[in-house]
Amino acid sequence: MASAAPALTRIESDSLGSMEIPADAYWGIHTARADANFPITKRPISVYPDLVRALAMVKQASARANREIGVLDPERADLIDRAAQRVIDGEFHDQFTVGVIQGGAGTSTNMNANEVITNIALEIAGREKGDYAFLSPIDHTNRSQSTNDVYPTAVKIGLSLTLRSLLDELDLLRRSFLGKAGEFHDILKVGRTQLQDAVPMTLGQEFHGFATTLGEDHSRLTENASLMFEINMGATAIGTGITTHADYAPAVLRHLREITALDLSTATDLVESTSDTGAFMSFSSSLKRNAIKLSKICNDLRLLSSGPQAGLGEINLPAMQAGSSIMPGKVNPVIPEVVNQVAFAVVGADMTVTMAVEGGQLQLNAFEPVIAHSIFQSITWMRQAMWTLRVNCVDGITANRDRLGAMVGASVGVITALTPFIGYAAAAALAKTALLTNRNVADLVVEAGLMSRDEVMKQLSPARLSGLEAVTAAIPIIAPEDLIEI
């Protein structure tokens, strides 16, 4: 007699009724309801792998703490521990299906984690998925916990993990600009303020400035990362710790520190910590700062490479794709442009975080899912933007040495270097003459009898023009009317 075909579904129940769940699904009824209720973004929480890993870390630490304090038997605690480890190792992430934007302050995400880890544990034990009489997503996997301490803790841990990759990419980008600063260290160019010609500098100095500002952002982001280290595990619903053993909070903290290798600490006021989401706002703000400064650098790269004939044309960006469907040969600065757009999105995400933080009410902020999504998205997009900027743009930038040299030679701004020797008034008069007659500044100074040719050329050397070698002297007061007529 042929054996019966395996069941395609299983029945699960909750306080609202029963549902058929695919037999091979590791998620259960709570996840199924969330999938039906929140078809908003079409983006599951699994798009942020570090958030999924962080959820599993919290469940693993809780299982160990519950076993330690005697509120969960060793067999079930071990099964949950082993199941959570498999998720931490990257398995079953496709089972985390609830949308990143959801109502309920993260309850759907917490239940998705509870159900998946429980069913993995049941499978390890040789039992059928959905055998919750033996191992329950709520009574066992969620023991001593509430969404209101699990979710924010997991978000903070997940953000801390994700930030590491952003910081690594940011440092690589900084080093790329630093390498270009060395390559361009001897190339003089005209500096600009308010888009008008200013004093000379080197192209290397300009790129070194880019590297320095990115290094400062690396420091600020690292500092703000510590905001994510204060957690509220043990707070349960609103911070009073109801249903939780007195020894649970210190035990789960100790295990979480070991599992995550993060310098976590338990908030001193769990009621305040459960309701306050200000740390997310501060963290998001530091990301916005980095995005804005990165966008400004990209603006500069687009300006410096503008042309190639009718623009500044000081540098060449790598040609990455054809730039027009109608103008032959046109190549656009597409890599800096996409980084600009990422920056705009990060600014918008920061505003979303700000409003969501403000929208919190009484003992809980119900809008943490959009806070989490906004910050995870910002980190993810910025990391990828930095990668493409480095690999597809900065590493391949070249300098137009001849054009830069010609512009410096024709610039009246170089006379600023001579003001310590001939005075501001004389320099201003000669600069005006140079602009009107299109004459060389050095020639005018020598012809006016103010300095010898050798002295002028010495003071207009690249090292002194760029400020690498600062030399001043007593300034003689020379009135414009005392200048020799040119």
Side-chain angles (χ1 to χ4, degrees):
M1 184 175 180
S3 58
L8 298 178
T9 61
R10 65 178 187 266
I11 302 298
E12 291 195 14
S13 301
D14 63 5
S15 58
L16 299 182
S18 298
M19 289 182 68
E20 286 191 357
I21 304 297
D24 60 350
Y26 289 85
W27 44 265
I29 188 171
H30 296 281
T31 302
R33 293 198 190 281
D35 287 341
N37 289 335
F38 311 124
I40 310 300
T41 62
K42 301 299 184 181
R43 300 178 69 187
I45 58 173
S46 58
V47 298
Y48 303 126
D50 285 329
L51 175 58
V52 174
R53 293 188 185 96
L55 287 161
M57 289 174 176
V58 172
K59 298 302 173 181
Q60 185 178 61
S62 294
R64 293 178 182 181
N66 285 328
R67 174 177 179 168
E68 180 181 313
I69 64 179
V71 300
L72 190 61
D73 65 273
E75 180 186 7
R76 289 182 174 85
D78 180 65
L79 288 169
I80 295 169
D81 191 333
R82 292 167 61 190
Q85 186 61 52
R86 294 183 67 179
V87 176
I88 294 170
D89 291 340
E91 296 184 69
F92 304 102
H93 283 211
D94 62 329
Q95 298 296 307
F96 288 78
T97 61
V98 298
V100 291
I101 304 297
Q102 57 193 248
T107 297
S108 297
T109 294
N110 184 38
M111 285 308 304
N112 195 169
N114 286 332
E115 290 174 338
V116 171
I117 290 173
T118 297
N119 281 307
I120 297 170
L122 286 169
E123 191 171 72
I124 293 172
R127 293 175 175 268
E128 296 291 328
K129 298 181 184 71
D131 186 4
Y132 300 149
F134 174 75
L135 186 67
S136 166
I138 296 177
D139 292 334
H140 300 122
T141 305
N142 199 59
R143 186 65 182 267
S144 304
Q145 304 151 63
S146 163
T147 292
N148 302 345
D149 53 6
V150 167
Y151 187 75
T153 296
V155 169
K156 289 178 177 179
I157 291 171
L159 289 174
S160 299
L161 298 176
T162 298
L163 182 63
R164 291 173 179 173
S165 60
L166 174 67
L167 291 174
D168 288 345
E169 193 55 57
L170 177 56
D171 189 57
L172 289 172
L173 181 60
R174 180 190 68 84
R175 291 174 184 273
S176 181
F177 276 111
L178 203 58
K180 288 297 171 180
E183 181 182 336
F184 302 150
H185 77 281
D186 62 339
I187 304 177
L188 273 179
K189 60 160 286 176
V190 176
R192 296 178 182 83
T193 56
Q194 293 159 276
L195 293 181
Q196 303 299 303
D197 296 348
V199 298
M201 65 187 301
T202 68
L203 189 61
Q205 287 174 318
E206 192 161 33
F207 274 73
H208 193 279
F210 297 153
T212 298
T213 199
L214 294 177
E216 290 175 350
D217 276 355
H218 192 286
S219 298
R220 299 294 84 75
L221 285 167
T222 301
E223 291 168 5
N224 278 293
S226 62
L227 296 170
M228 299 294 102
F229 294 165
E230 183 183 86
I231 62 173
N232 68 329
M233 290 301 293
T236 62
I238 63 170
T240 60
I242 190 170
T243 74
T244 301
H245 192 285
D247 295 332
Y248 171 77
V252 76
L253 173 65
R254 186 173 66 256
H255 288 295
L256 264 178
R257 287 170 62 95
E258 178 183 354
I259 292 165
T260 64
L262 297 173
D263 189 23
L264 304 173
S265 63
T266 301
T268 56
D269 187 331
L270 291 177
V271 171
E272 184 277 338
S273 181
T274 303
S275 63
D276 178 50
T277 50
F280 293 123
M281 183 167 62
S282 297
F283 185 73
S284 175
S285 179
S286 68
L287 291 171
K288 179 181 73 173
R289 167 194 158 120
N290 182 212
I292 290 298
K293 293 172 73 174
L294 195 61
S295 187
K296 189 271 181 187
I297 290 172
C298 287
N299 291 340
D300 287 352
L301 294 178
R302 291 192 295 118
L303 282 171
L304 294 173
S305 65
S306 59
Q309 294 173 302
L312 296 183
E314 295 187 356
I315 62 174
N316 305 303
L317 305 184
M320 301 308 297
Q321 63 186 62
S324 175
S325 61
I326 187 173
M327 292 175 280
K330 190 172 189 291
V331 177
N332 295 328
V334 294
I335 303 302
E337 286 173 350
V338 76
V339 177
N340 287 135
Q341 292 174 79
V342 168
F344 305 156
V346 172
V347 172
D350 180 66
M351 178 56 73
T352 298
V353 171
T354 300
M355 296 309 299
V357 169
E358 187 276 336
Q361 298 162 327
L362 303 177
Q363 278 66 62
L364 185 67
N365 189 308
F367 309 119
E368 287 187 16
V370 76
I371 291 174
H373 166 57
S374 298
I375 301 178
F376 272 111
Q377 175 179 278
S378 291
I379 293 177
T380 303
W381 287 14
M382 284 176 63
R383 181 183 65 234
Q384 295 304 109
M386 289 176 191
W387 179 88
T388 197
L389 180 62
R390 173 175 60 87
V391 173
N392 294 322
C393 183
V394 179
D395 286 348
I397 290 176
T398 58
N400 287 326
R401 288 176 177 264
D402 292 343
R403 181 172 177 81
L404 287 164
M407 285 193 286
V408 170
S411 172
V412 300
V414 298
I415 203 168
T416 303
L418 304 180
T419 56
F421 306 95
I422 67 175
Y424 184 90
L430 290 175
K432 182 177 180 180
T433 300
L435 286 172
L436 291 173
T437 63
N438 203 29
R439 296 279 309 279
N440 182 279
V441 164
D443 292 341
L444 292 176
V445 172
V446 174
E447 291 174 20
L450 298 177
M451 298 176 72
S452 69
R453 173 71 62 179
D454 288 345
E455 188 60 28
V456 169
M457 299 316 295
K458 178 181 177 182
Q459 299 307 325
L460 296 185
S461 69
R464 295 191 180 181
L465 279 178
S466 61
L468 298 177
E469 201 178 89
V471 178
T472 60
I475 300 175
I477 304 302
I478 302 175
E481 61 268 19
D482 294 332
L483 294 175
I484 300 173
E485 290 293 331
I486 303 300

